Amino acid sequence: MAAAVRLRQRNLMDRLLNWYIDTVRSHFALHGLPAIKNPNVPGILSDLISVGNGLKRVLATLCDAWHHYMFPISFIYADNSNKDDMLARIRFRHSLNAMIDIALSDHEFQLMAHMLVENHLAACGKHEENQMVDDRDEAQRLAFLAEIRQQIDVLQVQDRMERIVAEVYHKFMPRYISRQYARIWEQEHCAEPLMVELKNLIYGPISRCISVLIRRDELLESRLYELATECLVKLGIEEMFDIVIYFPDSILALGYLKMCLKTQEHRAQLVTEFQNACHARLLHCGANTSDIISFYMSTIRAFKLLEPRGVLLDKVSRSIRRYLRDREDTVKCIVNGMLEVEDANTGDLSELGKEFASSSGTQSADAVDNNGYSDMNWVPDPVDAAPDFRNKRSSDFIGSLLSLYDNKEVFVKEIVVVLANRLLDLKNYEIDREMMHLELLKLLFGESDLHNCDVMVKDILESKRVDSNIHDPTTVAPGTYPVAGIVHASMLSKLFWPAFRDEDLALPPVIEEQLNRYSAKFSILKSARKLTWLKRLGSADVTLELEDRTLDFTVSPDRASMIYLFQERSTYTLTELTARLNLDETTTRRALGFWIKNDVLKEDESCNDKYVLLERAEESKKKVLLDDAAESSVQTTEEKATEEMRIYWSYVNGMLTNIPALPIDRIQSFLKMLIPKEVGYSRNVDELRDFLTVMVAEEKLEYVSGSYRLKK
C-alpha cells in the first residue's frame, strides 16, 4: 500500500514538473526574450562602454530569469538526500540551460560578445590609432570582465564563452602579428627582444584577460603563445621571398623565423611557398639572368642563416638551379660577374666579382663531395633531407654557381672569350687586374685548362716591349720612316686566341700608311715574322672639330673610319658607306646609330638612308633605336660552334634534297651514320638545333610543322 502511494506521488510530481517546464518556456518566450532584445544595437556598437554595459544587461536579465525560474524548483525539490528530487532538479536545469543557450545564440548577443572580447584583447597590446579600444586601465577592465564571468558562471554557459573567446583570439592574433611584425626588417630592432616582448604580452595582459573570462588551466599560456608563434611562422613563410630580396636588411625577420621554425610541417610549407613565389615572380622570361643569379646568391645567404645544415637551401634552390641551367646566357653572366665585366646585356653582378676576389679559389671546380668519412664532427643528415643531399655543394657562391653544370668546359670557353675581349680593350698594356683574375681562375679550374689564357697574357706583355722598341726613334733603320705615336698594336699568337670575325675594314689612308710602317719596323725587329692586321679590333681616340663645338670620343675602328669619311663631304647614303668601309649593312647601321645618338650625324628627312653631318648642333628630331654598344670582334662560344658546324652543311643539304622534310632527330641519326670517321661527328641535338636555327635565319632552311626543309 505504501509503495502504491509513493508511485502515485512520483507520477504527480513528474506531471507537475512537466507542466512547470512548459509554463517556463512559454513565459520566457513571451517575456524573457523580448526583455533581452535591444532596439538600439547600432548605437551601442559604436561605443565600447555601451557594448560592455549592453552585454552585462543581457546577462543580468538572464540571471534574474534563472533565479526566478529556479526558486520554485529549489523549494519543491529541496531534499538533497532524495534521488528523485536531485534528478528533477537536474532535468529542469537542463531545460532551462537549453532556453538560455538559445537566447545567447542570438546574432546581436554574439556580435556584442565578440566585440567586447576582441577590443579587450586589443587593449592589452599595441593597436592602431583609428581602432576603438577601452581606455580604462587594466584593473578596471579586469574587474568589469570578472562581473561578466560571475554572470556566466550563474548561467552555466562557460562552454559558449570559451568558444567565443577561442574564435576571437584566432582572428585577433593573425591580425595583430601581421600589423606588428610584417616587414619588421625595416625597423631597428633585434629578433630576441621582439620575441620576449611577444611572450610577455601573451603571458601577461592577454593571459590575464582571457583567464578572467574562461576556466583557467595550466596549459593556457603555452597554448596562447603557441598560436602566436604559429601566426608568426606563417607570416615569415609568406614574406620569405621578400626577405631574400631585401637581405641582409631583412636579417631581423630571419632571426625570429629561425626561433619559431620547429616542425616538419612548417619546413615543408616554407619550401612549397618559396618555390611557388619564385616561379610566379622570378623564374620567367621577363626576369634578367643577372637578377636571378643575384637572387640565388641572396637565397644561399638567407637560408644558410635560417638553417645552417643546408637542407632547406638544397630544396628551395633546385628549381632556381634548374632554370639557370636552361638559360642560354647563364654562363656568360657568371663569368662576366666573376671577372667584373660591365655589360648592359648581362646586368650588374659586382657582388659576385667581390666574392670571387675574396674567395681566393678556396674551392676547386673539380672538388667532389665526399661521404664525410674523415670528418670527426660528422652528424647524420636531417630526416627531411633529400636522398641526394650534399651540404658542401652549396657551401659558397662560386662553388654553387660552377656546380650548375657537370662540365666545366662551358666556363673555360667563356672565360677565354671574355679575357680576350678584356685584353684587347686595354690601353697602355696595363694587365695587373687581368693577371690577378687569371691566378684566381687557375685555382678554380687548374692551370692546364687555362693554358691559352696564359699565352694571351704573355702576348700582351711581349707586345708592350715590342711596341716600345718600334716607337724608339733610335732604332729607325736607314731608308725607313718612323712610326707615329698614335699607333700602338698588340701582337697575338693566332693559335691560342679565340677566333675573330673575318672582316677587312677599309681604314683611312693615313692610318693604313702608319700600319704599313709599323709592319715594316716589326719585320726588322722580328725577322722572318709578319704582321696580319685585324682591323676591326682595338679602339681609336677621335677628336671632332665642328663649327660650334669640339667633341672627344673613344670608339671602335669602324666608327672612327666612318666619321673620317665625312671630312671629304658632308652627306653619304647607307649604300655608299657600306661600300667604302667594306662592312655589312647591320654593322654600318649600328655605327650610324652611335653618331646619330651623339648628335654628330642626322638622317636626311627628305631621303631615306641618307645621312648628313651636323656642323652645328640642333635639336634631335628622330631617335634611332639601335644598340650603341660596340660589337665585339671576338667570336662568342655560340658563334664559334656555329662556324664549326658549317662543315656539315653539305651533308644536311644533300639529305634534305633527297628527303624533302625531316625532324631534327632523324637529321641527327643520319649525320651520325653518313659522316665518315675521318671527318667525325660528335655534336649533340642541342648544338644541331642551334645550327639549323642559324640556317633558318640565313633563309637556307625553313621550319614547318616540326620538320626542316630546304628554302624554296
Side-chain angles (χ1 to χ4, degrees):
M1 185 69 180
V5 172
R6 285 196 299 272
L7 180 61
R8 285 195 300 270
Q9 290 177 349
R10 186 164 55 237
N11 290 336
L12 289 174
M13 296 301 292
D14 289 342
R15 291 170 60 187
L16 176 63
L17 180 62
N18 291 336
W19 170 83
Y20 186 67
I21 290 175
D22 292 338
T23 302
V24 168
R25 287 174 178 172
S26 300
H27 183 272
F28 186 76
L30 292 175
H31 303 284
L33 290 178
I36 63 176
K37 292 286 185 180
N38 194 323
N40 191 27
V41 171
I44 291 177
L45 296 180
S46 62
D47 180 25
L48 295 180
I49 304 298
S50 300
V51 169
N53 292 333
L55 184 65
K56 187 176 179 181
R57 183 189 62 80
V58 171
L59 294 175
T61 302
L62 293 176
C63 287
D64 291 342
W66 171 274
H67 292 296
H68 179 73
Y69 294 141
M70 282 296 298
F71 179 75
I73 295 297
S74 62
F75 179 74
I76 297 174
Y77 302 96
D79 190 359
N80 293 329
S81 62
N82 190 324
K83 182 178 179 181
D84 294 335
D85 287 2
M86 293 179 61
L87 292 176
R89 289 199 303 272
I90 293 174
R91 180 184 172 190
F92 180 77
R93 188 178 295 112
H94 286 171
S95 177
L96 186 57
N97 285 342
M99 290 187 295
I100 293 176
D101 192 63
I102 292 174
L104 293 180
S105 63
D106 182 75
H107 173 70
E108 295 176 358
F109 173 82
Q110 295 287 330
L111 190 61
M112 287 190 296
H114 277 78
M115 190 171 180
L116 177 71
V117 176
E118 180 176 358
N119 286 279
H120 273 77
L121 290 177
C124 295
K126 299 177 182 178
H127 52 271
E128 296 176 348
E129 294 181 358
N130 59 352
Q131 184 180 4
M132 293 187 301
V133 175
D134 192 342
D135 56 359
R136 295 175 293 180
D137 59 29
E138 183 180 4
Q140 292 176 324
R141 294 197 306 269
L142 293 180
F144 181 81
L145 293 178
E147 296 177 6
I148 300 271
R149 170 65 183 273
Q150 292 176 358
Q151 295 172 331
I152 292 173
D153 290 340
V154 170
L155 299 175
Q156 299 180 1
V157 289
Q158 293 90 345
D159 292 341
R160 175 170 290 277
M161 181 54 68
E162 288 179 3
R163 288 196 299 270
I164 292 175
V165 172
E167 291 174 1
V168 172
Y169 186 78
H170 277 76
K171 294 179 181 178
F172 162 78
M173 187 51 63
R175 291 199 302 267
Y176 176 81
I177 292 295
S178 178
R179 184 172 65 247
Q180 295 297 127
Y181 293 91
R183 303 184 70 86
I184 201 169
W185 60 83
E186 297 178 353
Q187 307 173 19
E188 296 181 358
H189 295 293
C190 297
E192 188 171 350
L194 286 174
M195 295 300 297
V196 173
E197 176 186 345
L198 177 62
K199 190 171 184 178
N200 291 337
L201 177 65
I202 299 297
Y203 280 79
I206 290 182
S207 176
R208 289 194 293 269
C209 174
I210 293 179
S211 61
V212 170
L213 287 174
I214 65 176
R215 288 169 294 196
R216 181 185 180 94
D217 59 20
E218 297 178 353
L219 301 178
L220 176 63
E221 290 87 352
S222 61
R223 290 172 180 171
L224 295 176
Y225 184 69
E226 181 180 353
L227 178 61
T229 56
E230 181 81 16
C231 297
L232 200 58
V233 170
K234 290 182 179 179
L235 176 64
I237 291 174
E238 293 173 358
E239 292 185 334
M240 192 61 201
F241 188 89
D242 293 317
I243 291 174
V244 172
I245 289 179
Y246 286 96
F247 189 88
D249 295 336
S250 59
I251 195 171
L252 172 62
L254 288 173
Y256 73 72
L257 184 58
K258 181 179 180 179
M259 298 170 66
C260 301
L261 194 67
K262 302 298 183 182
T263 66
Q264 298 298 330
E265 291 77 12
H266 289 158
R267 293 164 66 92
Q269 185 182 2
L270 173 61
V271 172
T272 302
E273 291 292 335
F274 186 79
Q275 289 180 335
N276 292 339
C278 287
H279 285 290
R281 301 174 59 180
L282 182 71
L283 303 181
H284 52 77
C285 58
N288 294 329
T289 304
S290 59
D291 295 335
I292 300 177
I293 294 175
S294 298
F295 182 84
Y296 179 43
M297 295 172 62
S298 297
T299 301
I300 294 175
R301 288 196 181 97
F303 276 87
K304 273 292 187 178
L305 182 62
L306 182 63
E307 196 251 346
R309 290 300 305 277
V311 175
L312 293 179
L313 173 61
D314 176 70
K315 290 184 175 182
V316 301
S317 63
R318 289 178 181 248
S319 58
I320 303 176
R321 293 170 61 85
R322 190 182 308 113
Y323 187 81
L324 282 174
R325 279 195 296 268
D326 295 337
R327 281 256 178 158
E328 296 180 355
D329 58 341
T330 299
V331 175
K332 183 177 182 180
C333 288
I334 294 174
V335 173
N336 284 349
M338 291 170 56
L339 301 183
E340 300 178 342
V341 177
E342 296 181 1
D343 190 339
N345 296 324
T346 58
D348 181 20
L349 283 174
S350 57
E351 187 178 1
L352 181 58
K354 296 177 182 177
E355 180 67 24
F356 174 64
S358 62
S359 65
S360 300
T362 53
Q363 179 171 343
S364 172
D366 293 330
V368 179
D369 293 334
N370 55 41
N371 294 317
Y373 296 139
S374 60
D375 187 3
M376 302 304 295
N377 297 320
W378 179 88
V379 292
D381 293 332
V383 294
D384 58 339
D388 58 344
F389 167 70
R390 290 293 183 271
N391 187 29
K392 292 184 179 180
R393 184 179 66 183
S394 301
S395 58
D396 69 315
F397 307 123
I398 303 300
S400 299
L401 293 173
L402 295 182
S403 65
L404 287 174
Y405 300 90
D406 296 331
N407 187 2
K408 65 180 181 180
E409 289 298 324
V410 294
F411 289 102
V412 173
K413 292 179 180 178
E414 187 64 32
I415 287 171
V416 172
V417 173
V418 171
L419 185 60
N421 280 313
R422 286 270 295 273
L423 293 174
L424 293 175
D425 291 339
L426 289 175
K427 292 185 177 181
N428 300 325
Y429 306 99
E430 298 295 335
I431 61 171
D432 294 340
R433 181 184 176 197
E434 285 68 26
M435 292 181 66
M436 179 194 70
H437 285 158
L438 181 57
E439 293 302 319
L440 292 175
L441 290 170
K442 288 179 181 178
L443 296 175
L444 281 174
F445 297 97
E447 294 190 12
S448 59
D449 292 316
L450 297 175
H451 174 66
N452 286 6
C453 296
D454 268 334
V455 176
M456 290 159 53
V457 170
K458 291 179 181 178
D459 283 345
I460 300 301
L461 293 174
E462 178 66 13
S463 298
K464 180 179 181 180
R465 186 184 65 82
V466 173
D467 184 78
S468 177
N469 290 333
I470 289 177
H471 288 91
D472 187 354
T474 62
T475 61
V476 178
T480 61
Y481 296 95
V483 180
I486 61 173
V487 177
H488 299 275
S490 297
M491 280 63 80
L492 314 179
S493 301
K494 181 178 180 181
L495 296 178
F496 297 93
W497 286 72
F500 301 105
R501 294 186 175 91
D502 187 15
E503 297 177 4
D504 189 14
L505 173 66
L507 296 174
V510 62
I511 301 299
E512 289 283 3
E513 180 183 357
Q514 293 297 323
L515 295 184
N516 292 333
R517 294 183 181 182
Y518 200 102
S519 298
K521 189 67 177 293
F522 177 81
S523 298
I524 295 174
L525 294 175
K526 300 285 187 177
S527 58
R529 297 179 68 179
K530 180 182 178 181
L531 288 180
T532 299
W533 292 97
L534 301 173
K535 299 178 181 179
R536 284 288 307 278
L537 274 65
S539 61
D541 294 330
V542 177
T543 299
L544 302 180
E545 295 182 354
L546 303 172
E547 291 184 3
D548 61 342
R549 64 198 186 282
T550 299
L551 304 175
D552 294 319
F553 298 96
T554 299
V555 296
S556 58
D558 57 336
R559 294 174 179 177
S561 300
M562 173 180 288
I563 202 63
Y564 186 88
L565 292 177
F566 283 85
Q567 289 189 132
E568 301 176 2
R569 65 176 196 262
S570 60
T571 303
Y572 278 94
T573 64
L574 177 64
T575 304
E576 291 173 338
L577 290 172
T578 302
R580 291 287 301 273
L581 296 173
N582 195 25
L583 295 174
D584 59 86
E585 183 176 328
T586 301
T587 306
T588 306
R589 286 187 180 276
R590 184 178 288 109
L592 285 168
F594 173 80
W595 293 118
I596 292 174
K597 181 179 179 180
N598 287 279
D599 295 328
V600 176
L601 301 178
K602 74 171 183 177
E603 187 173 3
D604 193 342
E605 298 178 355
S606 62
C607 181
N608 290 334
D609 291 338
K610 186 176 182 180
Y611 301 90
V612 181
L613 179 67
L614 289 175
E615 285 287 354
R616 303 188 67 84
E618 64 180 29
E619 186 71 21
S620 182
K621 299 180 181 180
K622 187 175 182 180
K623 297 294 182 182
V624 179
L625 300 178
L626 290 174
D627 182 15
D628 66 338
E631 182 182 9
S632 173
S633 295
V634 180
Q635 286 185 346
T636 63
T637 54
E638 294 82 1
E639 293 172 338
K640 182 179 180 181
T642 301
E643 290 299 323
E644 293 174 351
M645 286 286 291
R646 289 186 184 275
I647 63 175
Y648 307 117
W649 168 244
S650 59
Y651 297 96
V652 176
N653 188 24
M655 189 187 309
L656 296 178
T657 301
N658 297 323
I659 305 176
L662 286 173
I664 189 170
D665 294 334
R666 293 282 304 280
I667 297 176
Q668 176 78 351
S669 300
F670 281 136
L671 288 175
K672 288 183 176 180
M673 290 188 297
L674 298 177
I675 295 178
K677 292 183 179 180
E678 55 270 16
V679 178
Y681 181 78
S682 59
R683 306 291 179 174
N684 57 38
V685 176
D686 293 332
E687 292 175 319
L688 177 61
R689 182 181 290 107
D690 294 339
F691 172 66
L692 296 179
T693 301
V694 173
M695 295 297 102
V696 171
E698 294 179 359
E699 298 187 349
K700 294 180 179 180
L701 294 177
E702 56 184 0
Y703 184 71
V704 180
S705 301
S707 298
Y708 293 91
R709 63 186 183 186
L710 295 174
K711 184 76 172 181
K712 297 179 180 179

